[in-house]
Amino acid sequence: MSKSSTPSQGSLTCGLDRAAKENKPTTIVVFGASGDLAKKKTFPALFHLYQRKLLPSRLSIIGYARTHMSPEEFHKRVTSTFASDADKSNVEGFLKLCTYVSGKYDVAEDFQALRTEIEKGEHVLECSGSSDRVRVYYLALPPSVFVDVATQIKHNVYDRSCTNRVVIEKPFGHDLESSRKLSTDIGALFDEAEVFRIDHYLGKEMVKNILTLRFANVFYEAVWNRHYISNIQITFKEPFGTEGRGGYFDQFGMIRDVMQNHLLQVLSIVAMNQPESLGAEDVRDRKTEVLRRILPIQLEDTFLGQYVASADGSKPGYKDDETVPQDSITPTFAQCVLHVDNDRWRGVPWVIKAGKALNEAKMLIRIQYKDMPNALFPNLARNELVLQVSPKESMYIKTIVKEPGLSTKLAMSELDLSYKTRYHNVNIPDAYATLILDVLNGDHSNFVRSDELDEAWRIFTPLLHQIEQEHIVPKPYEYGSRGPEGAYQFVKDRVGYKRTELEYHWEAPK
């Protein structure tokens, strides 16, 4: 048997600098090193960890891709999205760790050359043959080559005498059947403990804070159930369209691209019962337990949209992209009502909604509580707990108060925790940096397990197939609008959401 990642405590209990302190000789291979994901996310995340001294000092980073590049060209690409004011000595030190190997993704000889490069680096680190070594294979690649690359890694690069970790990016399949095939193919090559399926929303600061908020504060957990909560909405909004990537997006659509993974993962954390510990498997057991209690989504509980050109004509519609078929019914906006059939949540509707080309950038969780059961202040407004995940991390509770002074007028205000004003000198890292650090620490807490993935596709696959087979046409909405006409009424009718009758507008503190 190969040496795999051992079960560990979650990231809330393990030291963030564990990998740096243990300083095991580590090689990180970034497959797809010439692509946008590696350039915009993977290498900047590694550089952030390097600056924070959270990487092992005995480290080698190897880029692998089909593109032929000189060392200078590779280094230029690696640093192309670094901040312009990045410390030059840090940049130079980081680049000394980075080498590049060009090769195809299905040629054994090219992977054997990669193995030679890895072993050469391990020799420099003076750890050849040591069982203490760690190898991380980061697949910043399209899903069409996942299995080819994983197969070549296992047959030509994998070393049973050291710790091996494989990082896989979404999408993890196209539906339940394809996801199961991918899991079977990957599972035939690597142990589950060696696989890290990355969903970058699980690395976002406010999402990682949900467990602490719920289980470290008695007053939140006491009202975190169907007896007090009316409905919960999880919203993802982007102010831009597909921007020339419509042909790629059209293969997936908003439900597959955002809802089946990012938003459903967030839902599972909000809805889960308290785990036995903060150990990775205990946390993931509770998340999977929630997903198993969610019924497949029905078409009548779904509202779909597709954006058209903006009112002034300055922004193109989805099908104005030449790469998008003119008869495309792929939704760029979707909202679905889900139900969690357990004692904590039975009867509480959950709404997950996501859209492109909307009026703002925002990702938030809105928990609306029930009406007060008395007649002193009847039906004025409902309390809400809002967790804004992005772009400005914050948390606030919408609360009814009396206006100050001689007035007896009631107003809606908030108890507010905005990270930017409360934590002045804290640099919140990109989610990718957080998750790569978890990989180095061997912590699976914020990664998707195969049974979680299976349950997520079970919930969405019947709906996706019905939309495609019955050719359900999404409702049009203008680029830059709030979404299709009728979207708010759908939520109001389906889940009983109530807007406040008191004047209120939240603004993030400056």
Side-chain angles (χ1 to χ4, degrees):
M1 279 294 289
S2 65
K3 184 178 178 182
S4 62
S5 306
T6 55
S8 64
Q9 288 295 302
S11 56
L12 290 174
T13 55
C14 79
L16 291 178
D17 59 351
R18 188 172 76 196
K21 282 184 174 178
E22 291 180 351
N23 198 25
K24 294 180 180 179
T26 301
T27 303
I28 301 173
V29 183
V30 180
F31 294 93
S34 63
D36 276 355
L37 178 60
K39 178 178 75 173
K40 295 176 179 178
K41 294 295 183 181
T42 313
F43 289 122
L46 287 167
F47 180 59
H48 176 85
L49 297 175
Y50 176 81
Q51 289 179 296
R52 296 281 301 274
K53 302 188 186 310
L54 292 172
L55 296 177
S57 61
R58 293 193 290 171
L59 175 68
S60 172
I61 299 172
I62 302 174
Y64 184 97
R66 289 177 290 211
T67 305
H68 290 281
M69 286 189 284
S70 67
E72 293 75 23
E73 289 171 327
F74 175 60
H75 286 173
K76 183 177 180 180
R77 187 165 188 83
V78 166
T79 59
S80 60
T81 57
F82 288 7
S84 57
D85 59 350
D87 182 85
K88 288 185 177 179
S89 62
N90 276 335
V91 173
E92 291 171 0
F94 180 74
L95 290 178
K96 288 179 181 177
L97 304 175
C98 300
T99 57
Y100 181 72
V101 175
S102 173
K104 295 182 178 179
Y105 294 134
D106 57 355
V107 176
E109 291 78 11
D110 291 346
F111 279 78
Q112 290 161 8
L114 172 62
R115 179 178 183 125
T116 299
E117 186 68 23
I118 292 172
E119 291 173 345
K120 185 170 75 173
E122 290 175 341
H123 179 75
V124 171
L125 297 175
E126 299 180 347
C127 63
S128 299
S130 168
S131 61
D132 227 15
R133 292 168 296 136
V134 176
R135 292 183 180 181
V136 175
Y137 312 107
Y138 193 117
L139 275 58
L141 294 165
S144 58
V145 296
F146 280 173
V147 176
D148 284 345
V149 172
T151 301
Q152 293 295 339
I153 291 171
K154 185 59 184 283
H155 293 161
N156 296 295
V157 182
Y158 188 92
D159 188 335
R160 292 181 178 276
S161 69
C162 71
T163 297
N164 296 269
R165 295 170 183 154
V166 182
V167 183
I168 303 176
E169 286 276 352
K170 78 170 187 74
F172 312 117
H174 195 258
D175 57 12
L176 181 58
E177 182 181 357
S178 60
S179 173
R180 283 179 173 171
K181 184 177 187 314
L182 178 60
S183 291
T184 299
D185 290 343
I186 297 296
L189 298 167
F190 301 101
D191 294 338
E192 181 67 21
E194 296 176 314
V195 178
F196 292 74
R197 297 174 190 84
I198 197 167
D199 184 324
H200 74 273
Y201 262 72
L202 295 180
K204 288 186 175 291
E205 181 65 29
M206 286 305 297
V207 175
K208 288 170 72 73
N209 198 20
I210 293 171
L211 286 183
T212 305
L213 178 73
R214 289 189 55 191
F215 301 121
N217 296 285
V218 64
F219 50 91
Y220 287 119
E221 181 60 11
V223 295
W224 209 275
N225 55 61
R226 62 187 171 87
H227 301 297
Y228 295 94
I229 291 174
S230 169
N231 60 85
I232 298 176
Q233 298 182 49
I234 302 174
T235 302
F236 171 91
K237 300 172 75 174
E238 286 183 334
F240 49 84
T242 53
E243 312 299 320
R245 297 179 67 249
Y248 175 80
F249 179 85
D250 202 67
Q251 301 173 52
F252 300 98
M254 187 53 72
I255 295 175
R256 288 184 174 95
D257 192 44
V258 175
M259 299 175 77
Q260 178 273 338
N261 37 66
H262 300 328
L263 301 193
L264 195 61
Q265 281 293 313
V266 173
L267 183 154
S268 70
I269 298 172
V270 176
M272 64 186 271
N273 286 323
Q274 181 171 318
E276 292 184 15
S277 76
L278 290 172
E281 297 314 312
D282 285 339
V283 172
R284 299 202 293 181
D285 283 346
R286 286 299 193 220
K287 288 168 59 190
T288 306
E289 182 181 274
V290 166
L291 295 177
R292 286 182 178 137
R293 304 304 299 176
I294 298 177
L295 304 174
I297 301 170
Q298 302 300 306
L299 183 61
E300 56 266 29
D301 288 330
T302 305
F303 191 98
L304 305 175
Q306 187 185 87
Y307 70 87
V308 296
S310 59
D312 61 4
S314 63
K315 295 292 186 180
Y318 177 66
K319 288 191 282 193
D320 293 332
D321 185 329
E322 293 180 356
T323 64
V324 175
Q326 287 303 297
D327 60 351
S328 172
I329 58 166
T330 299
T332 60
F333 175 97
Q335 56 186 18
C336 302
V337 180
L338 296 84
H339 300 275
V340 181
D341 186 25
N342 64 12
D343 288 342
R344 182 187 285 266
W345 298 114
R346 191 169 293 114
V348 177
W350 296 70
V351 180
I352 57 174
K353 52 185 175 180
K356 285 184 171 294
L358 296 175
N359 60 319
E360 61 183 337
K362 184 178 287 186
M363 195 278 166
L364 59 79
I365 304 159
R366 184 183 303 275
I367 301 172
Q368 185 175 75
Y369 286 85
K370 293 182 177 181
D371 294 317
M372 278 290 289
N374 65 55
L376 273 181
F377 304 103
N379 300 323
L380 280 176
R382 288 176 169 178
N383 298 126
E384 291 183 359
L385 170 61
V386 180
L387 307 176
Q388 183 157 313
V389 177
S390 64
K392 296 178 180 178
E393 295 88 353
S394 56
M395 176 177 71
Y396 55 97
I397 304 175
K398 293 170 68 172
T399 305
I400 300 172
V401 297
K402 188 188 82 66
E403 286 189 350
L406 298 176
S407 170
T408 58
K409 185 179 178 182
L410 301 182
M412 180 67 83
S413 187
E414 72 278 323
L415 304 175
D416 179 25
L417 170 61
S418 292
Y419 276 47
K420 190 172 183 180
T421 55
R422 178 64 179 85
Y423 304 111
H424 302 285
N425 300 316
V426 175
N427 178 21
I428 297 176
D430 179 81
Y432 277 89
T434 301
L435 294 173
I436 289 174
L437 186 59
D438 286 343
V439 173
L440 294 173
N441 286 330
D443 176 18
H444 281 84
S445 300
N446 298 306
F447 295 86
V448 182
R449 203 167 61 188
S450 60
D451 54 347
E452 286 183 76
L453 185 60
D454 203 64
E455 292 298 329
W457 279 118
R458 176 192 60 79
I459 294 165
F460 277 98
T461 293
L463 172 68
L464 289 165
H465 286 177
Q466 186 176 1
I467 291 170
E468 291 158 2
Q469 291 165 5
E470 298 183 13
H471 204 77
I472 305 299
V473 179
K475 296 181 181 296
Y477 64 97
E478 291 180 354
Y479 194 122
S481 68
R482 294 177 65 89
E485 184 178 350
Y488 168 70
Q489 192 64 40
F490 174 87
V491 174
K492 182 180 179 182
D493 293 343
R494 293 282 171 156
V495 309
Y497 175 73
K498 291 185 180 180
R499 282 182 173 166
T500 178
E501 296 178 12
L502 299 176
E503 185 175 341
Y504 174 79
H505 178 67
W506 181 82
E507 292 184 3
K510 296 179 181 178

